[in-house]
Amino acid sequence: MSEEGGADSEPQYLPDIARVEISVEEIQAYTDEDDFNALAVSLTIEFGSWVCVAASLLPGETRRWNRNQAILGGLLVRYYKLLSALLDQTCQRRRETSFMLARLVFECMVTIQYLLMRNSDELYQAFVAYSLQHERKLREHIQQNIDRRGGESLPIERRMIASIDRTFSVSGITIDQATKATARPWKDANIFERTRAVGLEQAYLLIFGGTSHSVHGNWQDLLEYHLEKEEDGFRPELRWQRPRPQVLYTLCLLGISAVQQYLVFLVGEDAESVCKDLDELRERIRTVNSLHEEFLIRKSENEGN
């Protein structure tokens, strides 16, 4: 694989991914949304398996990523782990925390797509510089404390400095480069601007923008999940809310495109067969998502009668 992507040959070691079979007739007979949740979990597990496979692909000769490739590959590994955590909270029927994780999954996916779209050394360098500004400031603070003691350092300070120095050593950036100016190509575009750049503005506004309430514990989050309104005030709401399958369906549908883009970047035309498998998975998820919407319409009509 070159530094820009690409691979020497088509991977021959891809494992078989368990395929979730769907039956339209059986799904149309569902009477409880938990049935759709269970199916959403199964389909997300299938998608997560593809994410795991994609994240495991390495260059043919070196079997190692360079720094820029490691940013993308590391983000995909993070994406897989976040999906796994989201599934865990969904299966435990905890909508509140599943919403937090859904937001993180979405942001990670957008970051991958944004970096792939721009694919410039300057942006990768800015991504690292933005992250390591904290480490630079922390090292400076530790050194100032040492200087105030006349050069005497504590064991914990020596360990922290050594750890920070190792981080910079493997990151392809010096401490002096971890500045606001170097980080500007990354930090000057916020999450919404990056989302808009990759064409997911509507998904952000309609679905994932509101999940920031859950991440930050805003009033809307408290009101919706953690408080019970009564006439003369509020009481605590300690019960967990049941997750909804739409979040998993949407994340999978959007995530498939991100994984396909990553695979094309990584192995070029040799990714075609895997991308076709992902296209087929997308169609199954779309079918189930459409059937769920029909279920909600029937439920609303029955409750109205």
Side-chain angles (χ1 to χ4, degrees):
M1 184 169 64
S2 68
E3 291 189 4
E4 291 75 24
D8 302 320
S9 61
E10 181 177 0
Q12 300 297 320
Y13 48 87
L14 293 178
D16 291 331
I17 303 296
R19 186 179 187 275
V20 177
E21 301 294 342
I22 64 170
S23 166
V24 173
E25 292 76 15
E26 290 181 6
I27 297 172
Q28 286 176 331
Y30 284 174
T31 58
D32 193 313
E33 195 171 46
D34 273 348
D35 294 325
F36 285 97
N37 271 327
L39 190 52
V41 167
S42 296
L43 288 165
T44 306
I45 290 173
E46 180 179 348
F47 171 58
S49 299
W50 283 113
V51 176
C52 188
V53 168
S56 300
L57 295 178
L58 293 167
E61 294 182 0
T62 64
R63 306 296 295 163
R64 297 290 186 274
W65 289 315
N66 62 34
R67 199 282 307 272
N68 291 355
Q69 295 162 351
I71 292 172
L72 294 167
L75 283 166
L76 203 61
V77 172
R78 170 182 166 85
Y79 184 56
Y80 164 72
K81 291 178 179 178
L82 288 170
L83 271 178
S84 179
L86 172 58
L87 286 172
D88 173 75
Q89 291 301 291
T90 300
C91 291
Q92 293 196 55
R93 300 169 66 90
R94 295 175 174 175
R95 189 195 302 181
E96 294 86 333
T97 46
S98 68
F99 263 22
M100 298 179 201
L101 289 161
R103 167 75 178 211
L104 297 176
V105 171
F106 180 76
E107 287 191 14
C108 189
M109 177 193 68
V110 168
T111 298
I112 292 170
Q113 291 180 284
Y114 185 77
L115 287 169
L116 284 171
M117 181 184 69
R118 298 299 172 93
N119 193 32
S120 70
D121 288 337
E122 181 186 22
L123 187 61
Y124 290 120
Q125 190 78 341
F127 178 85
V128 175
Y130 178 77
S131 174
L132 296 186
Q133 287 182 88
H134 169 75
E135 277 64 30
R136 177 181 62 80
K137 292 176 182 177
L138 178 60
R139 194 189 191 286
E140 290 174 351
H141 178 73
I142 294 170
Q143 189 60 53
Q144 289 170 0
N145 288 339
I146 294 173
D147 292 342
R148 280 195 291 267
R149 292 194 297 268
E152 178 184 354
S153 62
L154 303 175
I156 188 174
E157 291 173 330
R158 293 194 292 272
R159 291 195 302 271
M160 292 176 70
I161 288 176
S163 176
I164 293 170
D165 289 347
R166 283 195 299 272
T167 295
F168 277 95
S169 178
V170 302
S171 299
I173 188 173
T174 66
I175 292 177
D176 292 338
Q177 290 175 312
T179 64
K180 291 181 179 180
T182 305
R184 182 159 295 147
W186 177 258
K187 76 178 185 66
D188 281 356
N190 60 36
I191 179 60
F192 176 71
E193 290 168 333
R194 293 194 290 271
T195 301
R196 182 169 54 191
V198 300
L200 295 178
E201 177 182 1
Q202 291 301 313
Y204 180 89
L205 290 173
L206 295 175
I207 303 173
F208 296 102
T211 55
S212 64
H213 292 310
S214 296
V215 173
H216 302 295
N218 294 340
W219 170 247
Q220 176 61 25
D221 176 65
L222 302 181
L223 192 61
E224 185 168 1
Y225 297 119
H226 311 298
L227 295 170
E228 182 179 353
K229 181 68 175 74
E230 296 186 348
E231 286 188 10
D232 56 349
F234 298 89
R235 294 177 60 84
E237 174 56 87
L238 298 176
R239 293 172 298 179
W240 292 92
Q241 301 298 309
R242 183 174 67 174
R244 306 296 303 279
Q246 295 98 320
V247 171
L248 291 180
Y249 294 144
T250 303
L251 283 173
C252 286
L253 290 172
L254 297 177
I256 285 172
S257 297
V259 173
Q260 288 175 323
Q261 291 173 36
Y262 177 83
L263 288 170
V264 170
F265 169 85
L266 193 71
V267 299
E269 294 180 357
D270 291 332
E272 182 178 354
S273 62
V274 178
C275 288
K276 287 182 178 179
D277 288 336
L278 287 168
D279 283 336
E280 194 277 332
L281 172 58
R282 180 191 286 115
E283 290 308 307
R284 277 184 284 134
I285 295 172
R286 283 176 173 167
T287 297
V288 174
N289 190 38
S290 177
L291 291 170
H292 176 247
E293 290 301 319
E294 293 177 9
F295 166 83
L296 293 177
I297 292 173
R298 291 197 306 273
K299 182 179 178 182
S300 176
E301 291 174 347
N302 291 336
E303 290 175 350
N305 293 333

